[in-house]
Amino acid sequence: MSIESTNPATGDVVDSFEETSDEERDDHLERATETFEEWSETPIETRQRLLARAADVLRESEDEYAELMTEEMGKPIGQAHAEVEKCAWVCDYYAETAAEHLQDEVVASDERARTVVAHQPIGPVLAIMPWNFPFWQVFRFAAPNLAAGNVGLLKHASNVPGCARAIEDVFERAGFPEGAFTSLLISSGEIDAVIEDDRVRAVTLTGSDGAGRAVAESAGSQLKKTVLELGGSDPFVVLEDAPMEETVETAVQARLINNGQSCIAAKRFIVVDDVYDEFVDRFVDEMDAQTVGDPMDDETDIGPQAREDLMADLHEQVEETIEQGGELELGGEPMDRDGAFYPPTVITDVPENAPADQEELFGPVATVFRVPDEDAAIEKANDTRFGLGASVWTEDLERGERVAREFESGLAFVNELVKSDPRLPFGGVKDSGYGRELSRQGIREFVNTKTIWVQRDAGDEPDMVE
């Protein structure tokens, strides 16, 4: 059976790929297990050197990979280039820091014992990844886990099979052993069988909270660890002393990045009454000024939604919100052109419990809420089942940090849009998932944190440390 990828801007077929058969899937799992035995014993310096080479491969073929992403899921080409570079950055980061993050820790305990905490790889890890950042989401899993000595199995989204194959090719070209990173072109219905396979030791998923619950249930029944990075409905809080020009400019970027299809995009703009009218007027004008068009054109700000059905779901949420009393300030209708294009949309006066108040809107739709003061802004920001990112805008940085600490989120930014950075842990709370990716915390998620106790003879003198 073949899998086709379709360009959402044109409806044209980009390419077709043969689905991984049951026999091939079993062969890949067996090969991954065999490779792990070798890879886990490979000196970490060698693993780091190969990661650095993967970064080189990404940069050498940046144009090819960027165009592939844009063709398969529609992101503007400039953002696709930036995504390839960010993948190279995360490879560079762990090429430089993995050994430091994983080095043994000597812990003082019994005076007659030497006690050490070691961090050892656990085996093949299944990564279930989404289409919205088809390279970055994979590399932020792959780089730390390959550096740690694990091997990776990728089940990518069905609409980006070309990206899945290309990522596998990056590691092959970089010199990683066969089986260190394998792409499985399988359906969602086959995921449970892979999770339940004894050769798979852990699972990570980036996707919807519904998918996260299903994967966590399957993995939990097998006592396998999971890391879940799920959806978000990030608040963007504007206080009365916010630097308005910078705030509005960043607000538009924070909502529309990746055609609005980002889990950490600002989605709920919560504005105190003193500056509400000014913010809305300027925000609507700036959203309206964005260029919607061919994502291969460098002048385009917003390309198509990744699939027609996703755009239809988004439009249904907008329609229901308006029917319940929301005020449409801009956009709100699919564009009359070929492709899955939805315009920048702004809704105000959103009723409680409307879709735009309770659900994640995964597209270029912004909702603006009026609140009387800072306390009400914090309360509204936290009034969601999600808890991924949040930002606050104010001239007073001490005030900003204090408010940031009040957010129920895994990430909190002051006067900056929410973003991921290889040097910092990434992840959420509540229905946005658990566990962390990136940084020291990320590379230690899928390792055996092992205590080693070496007891000395009674006559031995303990080591003296000056």
Side-chain angles (χ1 to χ4, degrees):
M1 184 176 177
S2 63
I3 301 173
E4 287 186 345
S5 60
T6 303
N7 186 328
T10 64
D12 296 336
V13 174
V14 177
D15 207 343
S16 61
F17 303 83
E18 285 302 311
E19 190 171 326
T20 304
S21 68
D22 290 350
E23 183 180 354
E24 289 171 327
R25 187 184 73 199
D26 187 70
D27 289 344
H28 288 320
L29 287 169
E30 188 60 32
R31 180 59 182 168
T33 303
E34 293 171 356
T35 300
F36 171 69
E37 298 302 321
E38 166 198 346
W39 184 244
S40 61
E41 297 297 326
T42 300
I44 193 167
E45 294 79 12
T46 301
R47 302 198 296 257
Q48 289 176 288
R49 185 169 64 251
L50 290 175
L51 265 186
R53 176 57 189 148
D56 293 339
V57 171
L58 285 161
R59 293 188 174 105
E60 290 163 5
S61 300
E62 179 179 317
D63 290 348
E64 173 190 345
Y65 298 143
E67 290 172 6
L68 176 60
M69 278 189 276
T70 296
E71 286 179 342
E72 287 202 319
M73 58 71 57
K75 71 171 68 248
I77 189 65
Q79 295 179 29
H81 279 280
E83 183 166 337
V84 178
E85 177 53 41
K86 193 166 186 178
C87 294
W89 179 23
V90 77
C91 290
D92 284 339
Y93 173 78
Y94 284 109
E96 296 168 1
T97 64
E100 175 189 348
H101 290 332
L102 295 171
Q103 65 184 350
D104 288 354
E105 301 170 65
V106 178
V107 180
S109 58
D110 191 292
E111 65 177 8
R112 293 295 179 183
R114 179 175 184 268
T115 47
V116 175
V117 178
H119 306 281
Q120 299 179 327
I122 60 173
V125 180
L126 173 65
I128 305 165
M129 292 291 135
W131 47 262
N132 57 333
F133 292 92
F135 267 61
W136 170 242
Q137 306 276 18
V138 177
F139 273 90
R140 76 184 191 194
F141 151 75
N145 277 283
L146 289 172
N150 294 318
V151 298
L153 297 159
L154 170 65
K155 192 289 178 200
H156 217 326
S158 60
N159 59 328
V160 289
C163 291
R165 286 286 189 237
I167 293 167
E168 186 178 45
D169 184 60
V170 169
F171 293 115
E172 181 180 339
R173 289 172 57 188
F176 284 76
E178 182 184 357
F181 186 89
T182 305
S183 176
L184 304 175
L185 296 186
I186 60 176
S187 69
S188 297
E190 298 175 78
I191 290 175
D192 281 351
V194 179
I195 293 174
E196 292 167 4
D197 194 293
D198 289 342
R199 291 167 292 191
V200 172
R201 303 303 304 273
V203 187
T204 182
L205 174 138
T206 298
S208 69
D209 60 301
R213 293 175 197 277
V215 165
E217 183 176 358
S218 295
S221 70
Q222 304 296 314
L223 297 181
K224 295 179 181 180
K225 183 171 184 181
T226 52
V227 168
L228 303 179
E229 196 276 282
L230 308 178
S233 188
D234 287 8
F236 185 107
V237 172
V238 182
L239 300 179
E240 71 279 356
D241 61 345
M244 193 56 65
E245 183 173 349
E246 178 188 356
T247 300
V248 171
E249 180 182 341
T250 308
V252 173
Q253 180 186 1
R255 175 59 280 204
L256 298 181
I257 191 168
N258 203 42
N259 305 333
Q261 301 164 125
S262 171
C263 55
I264 54 171
K267 299 185 176 80
R268 297 178 299 130
F269 296 83
I270 300 167
V271 187
V272 299
D273 188 67
D274 287 352
V275 292
Y276 177 87
D277 291 334
E278 179 186 1
F279 176 85
V280 170
D281 288 345
R282 296 175 68 162
F283 183 56
V284 170
D285 287 345
E286 286 298 316
M287 290 280 280
D288 193 32
Q290 302 304 298
T291 300
V292 181
D294 181 358
M296 285 293 187
D297 188 336
D298 287 331
E299 300 302 313
T300 292
D301 299 307
I302 307 171
Q305 301 300 278
R307 298 196 313 260
E308 289 278 356
D309 63 304
L310 296 173
M311 183 181 71
D313 291 343
L314 176 68
H315 184 51
E316 183 178 340
Q317 291 173 307
V318 170
E319 286 188 311
E320 288 186 20
T321 298
I322 301 306
E323 288 173 3
Q324 292 182 31
E327 185 70 28
L328 184 65
E329 305 285 348
L330 179 70
E333 289 287 343
M335 300 183 72
D336 185 16
R337 57 181 296 169
D338 291 338
F341 288 90
Y342 204 83
T345 296
V346 179
I347 305 173
T348 58
D349 298 328
V350 177
E352 286 189 14
N353 300 319
D357 182 50
Q358 295 295 312
E359 302 171 10
E360 179 179 23
L361 271 59
F362 215 60
V365 180
T367 54
V368 189
F369 298 83
R370 185 197 295 264
V371 293
D373 53 29
E374 176 190 303
D375 288 343
I378 295 170
E379 181 179 359
K380 183 61 182 176
N382 292 334
D383 183 22
T384 173
R385 62 190 178 89
F386 296 107
L388 188 52
S391 66
V392 58
W393 293 78
T394 172
E395 289 281 12
D396 185 338
L397 298 186
E398 290 186 3
R399 181 190 191 190
E401 183 171 344
R402 174 175 52 76
V403 171
R405 291 178 181 275
E406 294 294 319
F407 290 140
E408 296 170 357
S409 62
L411 310 160
F413 285 65
V414 179
N415 294 352
E416 178 60 292
L417 57 78
V418 178
K419 56 188 175 182
S420 56
D421 184 313
R423 299 164 294 189
L424 298 169
F426 182 92
V429 296
K430 301 197 289 188
D431 282 6
S432 290
Y434 52 74
R436 292 295 179 264
E437 298 175 306
L438 303 174
S439 73
R440 178 188 297 268
Q441 287 83 355
I443 199 173
R444 291 184 174 186
E445 282 286 4
F446 293 124
V447 298
N448 176 15
T449 301
K450 180 188 289 186
T451 295
I452 300 175
W453 180 299
V454 181
Q455 187 72 32
R456 298 184 181 89
D457 292 338
D460 290 346
E461 291 295 325
D463 292 338
M464 299 300 292
V465 179
E466 294 184 359

